[in-house]
Amino acid sequence: MNRSIQDVARLAGISSRTLRHYDQIGLLAPSGTGPGGLRQYDDARVRRLQRILLLRDLGLPLTDIGRVLDEQADEAGALRLHLDQLRAEQDRLARQVASVERTVTAIEKGERLMAEDMLDGFDHTQHEEEVTERWGADAYARSDAWWRGLGPEGQKEWQARTKELGEAWGEAARRGVDPTSEEAQALAARHAAWLGGIPGTPGSEQGRPTKEYVVGLAEMYVADPRFAKNYGGTEGATVVRDALVAYAEREL
Amino acid sequence: MNRSIQDVARLAGISSRTLRHYDQIGLLAPSGTGPGGLRQYDDARVRRLQRILLLRDLGLPLTDIGRVLDEQADEAGALRLHLDQLRAEQDRLARQVASVERTVTAIEKGERLMAEDMLDGFDHTQHEEEVTERWGADAYARSDAWWRGLGPEGQKEWQARTKELGEAWGEAARRGVDPTSEEAQALAARHAAWLGGIPGTPGSEQGRPTKEYVVGLAEMYVADPRFAKNYGGTEGATVVRDALVAYAEREL
DNA sequence: GTAGAGGTTGACGCCGCGTCAACCGCAAGA
DNA sequence: TCTTGCGGTTGACGCGGCGTCAACCTCTAC
């Protein structure tokens, strides 16, 4: 019972291109070739194809399928390993969905009522005391002037970005990432870049905030609930602080 | 405040390659080029990069990000659309995870106690009455001879494949797929190919089951609970039947 | 003069095929 | 006999988002 490539493709509900691909990568070679190099598949190949497709439907990569089928490797074991990856991907997706959801509602809220919630959530002028106390009245005045200069639209925009950044931090913190991990450090880098883009912050002339400013601010995130709430509470803020401090020590 | 590519990369916690890529695809061009073609980025580009990375973290594709940022397109709208896709992917993953789980337990069960559960689940000899009644005692005898010829190992193997195929059907049925959809028809094709590979089934000499055999069997899947349970009950079996009948009409 | 840092452009690789393009062999009809 | 058409063949690009060479350039410091 030798079948042509089209026969097999129709039988299996796949394309002939897929069969040629499987031949090419050594996953399923035809049993022989007829006149003109036409591929022929016997019953054994068709059965092998069945198993390939069943495993493929489970999301197993083709290379793994090849190993399982060729080396008599442990099928259940391979699937359980695969299951772990699927679940990890599930987690990632769930977090991303939640993150997007929060971002969307934040944006829409911000569009409808830009006053209360967001100004309250991260009002730039909110930390006047701390700023003046730590970096002098000059710094605050410059910063405040910049803030007013933004205008309502600019302020809304700025707050939205702020909230998005806080969102990213909160998400990572809830997940319990290591503050020294590559991911947390990348976030810290972006946080620092963001701070450095605000005229009036110490070091903004060099385009990056000073180490002292970042470290001080990081401590404030933990100490002051008004800031901490932007990063998932005190616990979240602790992660943010540790990450920022580590980053500042390294790069600033 | 013009920064070099490395500066920006470190600031943002990404690689310089990524920045070059963004330049290449027109997502983020540098503000200018210095001596030797060195890319330079001003503050506005850095801020744009911030937004790019925030949206990228949410899983939005780069092309969409470009549209949102360039055409002042509706950011919340784009994200909600993206959210739909994420949720669809979540569904797909959840179903796949469940499917893999069931397959794994089925395999392990089959390894430990191959007797009861699986023989009960889909005993080939189980439908002797129907086979003899509909296709004659000859067909049953041939089929039965083939079955015995498989031996215990072969029977176990065959049953495992059977269960996997039933699994795929059950999964699709629970999802409520249209029996005439491409997906269901592909499954039907594979089901038919599987039947055609069993010596003794009418039409197996041609490598594919006859239309009448498939249609009759499909009806039995719905009518007989012993079969229906392999496809998610009567409801599931109905989908299987409709898909198989449609396939048989078209291809056999 | 030469080494080194920090760039540049160009290209391949990943994964699982879809989708051309250009060609070949065989059978049926004008 | 020529043409048309079917059913294949090999080869190559494309997708997404970059990582990772390779080969080359420019400027500075020793």
Side-chain angles (χ1 to χ4, degrees), chain A residues 98-110:
Chain A
S99 199
V100 173
E101 277 172 350
R102 281 191 301 265
T103 303
V104 168
T105 59
I107 290 175
E108 292 181 339
K109 252 193 196 168

Side-chain angles (χ1 to χ4, degrees), chain A residues 72-219:
Chain A
Q72 292 289 56
D74 175 21
E75 184 172 347
L79 284 179
R80 261 206 310 277
L81 210 62
H82 176 52
L83 200 50
D84 290 346
Q85 299 172 0
L86 286 181
R87 280 203 248 261
E89 178 66 8
Q90 250 182 330
D91 283 2
R92 216 187 49 74
L93 253 184
R95 286 193 310 267
Q96 199 167 71
V97 165
S99 199
V100 173
E101 277 172 350
R102 281 191 301 265
T103 303
V104 168
T105 59
I107 290 175
E108 292 181 339
K109 252 193 196 168
E111 275 170 2
R112 278 173 315 191
L113 47 108
M114 65 161 282
E116 285 182 302
D117 185 52
M118 303 197 60
L119 282 174
D120 179 53
F122 206 100
D123 185 354
H124 169 85
T125 63
Q126 191 184 52
H127 56 302
E128 174 176 356
E129 280 181 43
E130 288 89 348
V131 172
T132 52
E133 185 184 331
R134 288 172 186 261
W135 296 286
D138 261 18
Y140 178 72
R142 277 198 310 270
S143 183
D144 193 47
W146 161 78
W147 175 249
R148 292 182 200 288
L150 284 178
E153 279 305 308
Q155 289 177 3
K156 192 180 78 174
E157 164 81 11
W158 184 83
Q159 283 167 348
R161 300 301 137 241
T162 304
K163 200 144 193 177
E164 284 179 352
L165 189 52
E167 189 51 57
W169 271 120
E171 194 271 310
R174 271 189 298 279
R175 223 164 67 235
V177 291
D178 179 1
T180 64
S181 69
E182 209 172 324
E183 187 192 351
Q185 287 301 298
L187 264 180
R190 281 159 56 186
H191 197 120
W194 168 67
L195 291 172
I198 304 174
T201 60
S204 67
E205 310 80 28
Q206 284 76 43
R208 56 182 67 85
T210 65
K211 181 168 143 186
E212 291 72 27
Y213 178 74
V214 170
V215 171
L217 201 59
E219 297 295 350

Side-chain angles (χ1 to χ4, degrees), chain B residues 183-210:
Chain B
E183 187 192 349
Q185 286 301 297
L187 263 181
R190 281 160 54 184
H191 197 122
W194 169 66
L195 291 172
I198 305 174
T201 59
S204 67
E205 309 82 27
Q206 284 75 44
R208 57 181 65 84
T210 66

